[in-house]
Each structure stands twice: as structure tokens, then as C-alpha cells.
Amino acid sequence: MRIATWNVNSIRSRVDRVEAWLQRSDVDVLAIQETKAKEEQFPFDRFTALGYEVAHHGLNQWNGVAILSRVGLQDVSIGFDGDPGFGDPLAPEARSIGATCGGVRVWSLYVPNGRTLDDPHMAYKLSWLEQLRQRASEWSADGTPTALCGDWNVAPQDEDVWSMAYFADKTHVSPPERAAFNAFLESGFVDVVRPHTPGPGTYTYWDYQQLAFPKKRGMRIDFILGSPSFADRVTGASIDREERKGKGASDHAPVIVGLDGDPGSPA
């Protein structure tokens, strides 16, 4: 089985690219973030025509998550218990959706950005991650292979950003954010992609501005964290940097893992 995660930064703007990528990458399950679409705006028919079942959660023009699967799509969960929500009044945002695909519990996650170190969104981000960690430990407690896929908006290691000096007073690299990410690893989840894509400069996101992509000024913030029973099945992984190139690209690249002998690389 081949599973991927991709922040597409607007499914309506990039449906042609996503469709073409699915056809050539041969992935069985795709977790999508930042669809920026309401339910009635999501192009379900484009993906069902390719043989994928689709679950989507979108409330407005912001956020939005989806799972596409051609190996089954059961027990769909919209959000998770304990999601702290944001706003006044507090309300959950469209940031998480889960489903069982081919015996694997897959979650598509769009972690809050944090905005600035002293912004209320940062407190929301940390609370959101802690509540997710608690739920994730429960989901995998019975040995169910569980994959937490998405845009985590955290760069957990110094090598995951192009310049620590540049990010010194910014989000994504602060000690509280890194501690929140590492809490998943301490609870038993495994970063199943990094062992297959090691080294500094191995990024998943490049800003559109200031020629960040050609200047190699990126960040590694998209991850697939697997429970032990999932991690034991991973046989390969890759970051499809080529998909960041060209007209109309998302600012994120797809991240792929292969299970049970699959190399986890674009076909």
C-alpha cells in the first residue's frame, strides 16, 4: 500500500495537478490539507472517476481536510474529541478527518499555524496538539496501525529550516512547539519518513515569495507519524520535490510512504 499527504493550498485551484499527480504516483490513499472549500465546492466527481472514495471536511474558504482512498474508506470521523476550537464563541475548525483505509487508520491533519509567538493562535496550536496526542494514543492503543498525516506547522529539528537565525523569533521552531511535536514521538509514534529522506535541506514547504524555492529556502513541516504497528510495515518513503515546480504548484510537496514492500516513491 502507498499512502501520501499533501497540503494542496486550495483544491479548486489545483484539482488538475492533484488529479494528474494521482494518476502518475499510483498512491492508494491521499490525505489532503488546506482544501479551502465548502462541501459543495469540493470536486468529488474528479476523484471518484479515478476510482477513489472521498471524505472531505470543509466549512468555509479556510482550512479544510480530505482523505481519498481506493482501498476502502470506512468509519469516517470528522474532527476528534477534545478539539479546543478557536474564535468567539469557540468552535472546532475544519482541521482533522480520519478514516480506515485498507486496515490502516489514516488521519489528515492541518495543525494551526500559531501566527506569532505571542498570538492567541499559538496557545490554540499547543492545546490542539496536546489534545490530538491524547486521542492518538487512544486510537493506537489496541494495536491498530495508525498514520497521522499532514501539515504539522512545526519544524522539529534545526536542519528542518533553511536558517535558524532567520527563524529565531518566529513560529514553527520555538521550544514549546517542538516539545508538542516530540510528545508524539515520546508516546510511541514514529516519524516514518525521515529515515528514508535524511539530511539538512530536505524540505516539504517553500514560500511563494522571494524566490524561496529556487534559493532552497524551505522547511520540513509535513510529516507522517506512525504508530508502532504502522511503522513496522513502512518499507520506503519520499518527498516529491518535483511537484513543487512549475506553474500553479502548491507551496508544499507531497510526502509518500510505502508499506509491505512498496518503495514509497513516485511511480
Side-chain angles (χ1 to χ4, degrees):
M1 187 189 304
R2 184 172 294 185
I3 299 174
T5 184
W6 190 5
N7 179 323
V8 300
N9 190 12
S10 177
I11 190 64
R12 288 176 290 166
S13 297
R14 265 165 274 285
V15 62
D16 290 344
R17 289 192 67 133
V18 175
E19 184 180 63
W21 186 81
L22 285 169
Q23 291 175 307
R24 69 173 178 271
S25 65
D26 199 33
V27 300
D28 298 296
V29 182
L30 175 61
I32 298 176
Q33 302 84 45
E34 214 170 348
T35 63
K36 296 184 176 179
K38 299 177 183 179
E39 294 301 296
E40 62 270 21
Q41 297 171 320
F42 191 90
F44 289 92
D45 58 333
R46 298 285 292 271
F47 303 121
T48 57
L50 297 178
Y52 290 89
E53 295 180 78
V54 183
H56 174 252
H57 177 38
L59 300 174
N60 48 40
Q61 73 272 32
W62 310 111
N63 310 317
V65 284
I67 297 174
L68 281 55
S69 173
R70 63 183 188 187
V71 291
L73 189 76
Q74 292 87 36
D75 304 321
V76 174
S77 297
I78 301 298
F80 57 86
D81 291 341
D83 184 329
F86 191 73
D88 186 14
L90 287 174
E93 299 179 308
R95 293 185 176 275
S96 60
I97 188 170
T100 300
C101 308
V104 176
R105 191 63 179 166
V106 177
W107 281 86
S108 181
L109 306 166
Y110 181 40
V111 177
N113 182 285
R115 299 176 181 171
T116 64
L117 296 178
D118 57 358
D119 192 280
H121 225 249
M122 177 59 73
Y124 166 50
K125 177 179 188 175
L126 297 176
S127 178
W128 197 93
L129 283 167
E130 173 55 20
Q131 292 299 320
L132 173 65
R133 186 197 64 78
Q134 293 182 27
R135 298 293 84 75
S137 295
E138 296 169 0
W139 300 331
S140 62
D142 63 356
T144 299
T146 304
L148 308 178
C149 310
D151 176 358
W152 290 72
N153 271 314
V154 179
Q157 299 184 16
D158 288 358
E159 68 177 25
D160 295 339
V161 295
W162 66 273
S163 169
M164 276 301 296
Y166 174 81
F167 283 98
D169 60 347
K170 298 177 176 62
T171 63
H172 293 66
V173 302
S174 71
E177 291 168 283
R178 286 182 166 181
F181 183 93
N182 288 330
F184 287 84
L185 307 183
E186 292 164 1
S187 68
F189 279 83
V190 180
D191 178 351
V192 297
V193 177
R194 191 184 297 271
H196 301 276
T197 59
T202 308
Y203 305 134
T204 65
Y205 165 85
W206 300 260
D207 195 282
Y208 288 129
Q209 301 181 29
Q210 299 179 339
L211 300 176
F213 185 66
K215 291 181 178 179
K216 301 180 179 179
R217 295 181 174 179
M219 307 171 70
R220 187 199 286 253
I221 57 175
D222 301 85
F223 296 91
I224 297 176
L225 301 189
S227 65
S229 58
F230 179 86
D232 288 345
R233 294 173 57 184
V234 173
T235 50
S238 63
I239 299 167
D240 191 356
R241 188 178 182 277
E242 291 299 305
E243 186 55 37
R244 178 59 178 81
K245 298 178 179 178
K247 183 178 180 180
S250 171
D251 44 4
H252 293 252
V255 178
I256 309 165
V257 296
L259 307 184
D260 307 327
D262 188 286
S265 57

